[in-house]
Each structure stands twice: as structure tokens, then as C-alpha cells.
Amino acid sequence: MLAATLAAMTLAVPVGAARAAVTDAFYDRAFMLAAHQKCDLFEPQLIAALDAAALQARNAALRAGTPAADLSAAAARARSRASRTSCDDSDLSRVRTRVEAGFSGWSRAARMSFPGDRSAWRGDRYESKAIGWRLVQDSATGGSPVRFGLAGTGPKATTPVAVVSFVGRPRPYSARLVMRDRDQAPRVWLTGGGLPPESVRRSFFAAAAQAAEPSLLPEGARQGETWTFSTEAAEALAQLDPRESFVIQFLFRDDSVAEARFEAGDFAAGRAFLAMGAI
């Protein structure tokens, strides 16, 4: 796992004995990112990997029960320490060397799984002529499989889409992605399956629908529809707490709604993994 790759790459002074290991890991990654901003330490591909590592560490800490305020404070301390550290500091130079060595092999990873509490995102950095999943999570509504994620010909040219193969139902006339509205409900919502009441939800309607490419269909499906969402929807999803849920709702002309539930999980970390570029 990406988070484990940097586990031993810390400076001589830890956050403190009272901090949980996951918070320490987040602090270390936040410090290295802040030090890079000051001293231009790493190549862009490695910075994308550090971004993913920091997001994974933050999400792991949240899942372990660390308050978000504690993580914000840890990030602030990391930035403060980086601002006081000289770019020619010997400890910083040693850590830089270990980080570069640790990622020399990892940066060639083409695929990675980002497990959550209930589901996982799967990342794929291959590039091809055909559209494929670059980051995807599986779900279902009733007996019909649903996939949601980022699809494209390569990791840096993706579009948020949902693909559904309905069993014994007509084609829906619309689809929407529903999640917590962070403006209306700033605090993370973990009750009720991780989705807040309708009054504080935000919806993104699909902009287009078409027959799904065979490469995007769930295993065993022969046909399905692709519903395309905006990049704004993906940005909003990346801001959710990893423990939260979001849903894709499919709307039918008889006023019925079919719903597939997903876990926010490490969606943001998966996007950072794709930012490393194609293999």
C-alpha cells in the first residue's frame, strides 16, 4: 500500500509520543510536501505520489477516530516546521534521499487498490486507445450492477461516469449523484449510512447518457448505459470525509428511483495516484 511505502521515511524528531501512528504518518507526509514547496525537492511524479500518500494517511487517521481538527493542527505544525527548516539541512537531505529511493520502484506501479471500510477504489495508470476505467468502485441497485469512477484513455484524461446494467427494467430518463452539501452541513455526517437528510444534500445531474463501451461494463454484462457527470461533481466528491457515503440515483418515468450506494473512501488519493501519469 502507498501509505506503507513512506512509513519509515520520517525526520529525526517525531510529532510526539502521544500521537497515534496514523497521525504521525500524516504529519510526516505533510512536512515533506511543505518542504518541497519551499525547496523544490522532488520531480512532479514523486510529488503526486506524496500527495496520494498524505491523503491516504489522513483518511486512515480519520477512520481510526482522530478528530479532523487534530489533523488540521498537525498539518499546520508541519508547515511551520518546514518554514523553519533550511533547504540545505542535513536531516532534510537524508530524508529526501530515502524518499527518492523508496519511490524509484513504486512510481512504476500501474495499478493500485485503495481499500475503505466497506468498498475499494481501484486505480489504473495504463494508457490505451480504448476508453477504460482509471479509477472505479463497484456497487449495485437491486440485482443490477453499477460502477462509478473516472474513465478515459489514460490517467490524465478522465471523465466522471456511472455505468449501469439494469436487469428487467426500462432505461431511466435521468441520473444524479447525491452527497452531503458541505456548505449546508459543514460537519461530517456518519449516521444513517453516511448520507445526511435530503435538506442538506447536494445533487449533480448527469449531463449526458449513451450506450456503454464494452470495456466499462460490469463483469458478465452484455449491455449498459454510461451516465456522464461534471468535473465539479468529482471535485465535490474528493472533499468528502472518507467514511461518508454518496449515491447514484436513477430516475424512471413511473416516478420510481433506483439507488446505488458508494463509499467516498480514498477517491482523492486515487486521483492523486492517476496524476503520476501513464505507465
Side-chain angles (χ1 to χ4, degrees):
M1 181 184 292
L2 174 58
T5 305
L6 288 179
M9 299 177 184
T10 62
L11 292 181
V13 182
V15 176
R19 290 288 180 187
V22 285
T23 306
D24 290 345
F26 172 68
Y27 173 91
D28 294 335
R29 290 148 181 77
F31 172 82
M32 292 309 300
L33 287 170
H36 168 76
Q37 289 182 341
K38 177 183 177 180
C39 304
D40 193 24
L41 300 174
F42 305 112
E43 295 296 322
Q45 188 180 53
L46 198 148
I47 284 301
L50 281 172
D51 279 335
L55 288 165
Q56 274 195 300
R58 182 180 186 276
N59 289 349
L62 288 169
R63 292 189 187 102
T66 304
D70 288 2
L71 294 173
S72 296
R77 287 195 301 274
R79 291 191 297 269
S80 176
R81 183 181 177 190
S83 70
R84 301 191 308 269
T85 300
S86 171
C87 291
D88 59 3
D89 180 84
S90 58
D91 280 346
L92 181 61
S93 296
R94 284 193 291 272
V95 172
R96 175 186 180 181
T97 299
R98 292 202 298 271
V99 169
E100 290 174 336
F103 276 94
S104 62
W106 187 91
S107 63
R108 294 190 291 273
R111 294 189 175 98
M112 181 163 288
S113 177
F114 298 85
D117 290 332
R118 303 176 302 278
S119 303
W121 292 98
R122 301 187 306 279
D124 186 326
R125 291 170 54 210
Y126 279 118
E127 196 163 33
S128 63
K129 294 181 179 179
I131 293 176
W133 287 111
R134 303 307 160 201
L135 187 65
V136 63
Q137 185 178 136
D138 292 315
S139 184
T141 174
S144 301
V146 184
R147 284 180 165 178
F148 175 81
L150 303 177
T153 56
K156 290 190 174 183
T158 61
T159 302
V161 299
V163 173
V164 59
S165 297
F166 277 109
V167 178
R169 296 200 66 169
R171 182 177 180 274
Y173 72 86
S174 186
R176 61 192 176 201
L177 190 158
V178 183
M179 67 184 76
R180 173 173 62 95
D181 187 326
R182 296 176 67 247
D183 292 331
Q184 297 293 325
R187 293 186 178 181
V188 59
W189 195 280
L190 300 180
T191 59
L195 195 67
E198 291 187 11
S199 60
V200 289
R201 294 180 185 180
R202 185 179 185 185
S203 296
F204 298 88
F205 280 86
Q210 62 185 27
E213 296 285 342
S215 56
L216 299 181
L217 290 172
E219 186 175 354
R222 296 184 178 181
Q223 61 80 35
E225 295 82 41
T226 295
W227 296 83
T228 303
F229 294 90
S230 65
T231 55
E232 182 186 8
E235 291 296 333
L237 175 56
Q239 299 302 315
L240 291 181
D241 185 285
R243 298 165 292 179
E244 290 187 271
S245 297
F246 66 97
V247 297
I248 306 292
Q249 295 179 337
F250 300 96
L251 313 181
F252 294 86
R253 298 197 182 278
D254 62 0
D255 293 331
S256 63
V257 178
E259 183 174 287
R261 185 175 294 260
F262 295 84
E263 182 179 356
D266 283 342
F267 178 75
R271 290 205 310 171
F273 173 71
L274 298 184
M276 293 177 64
I279 291 295

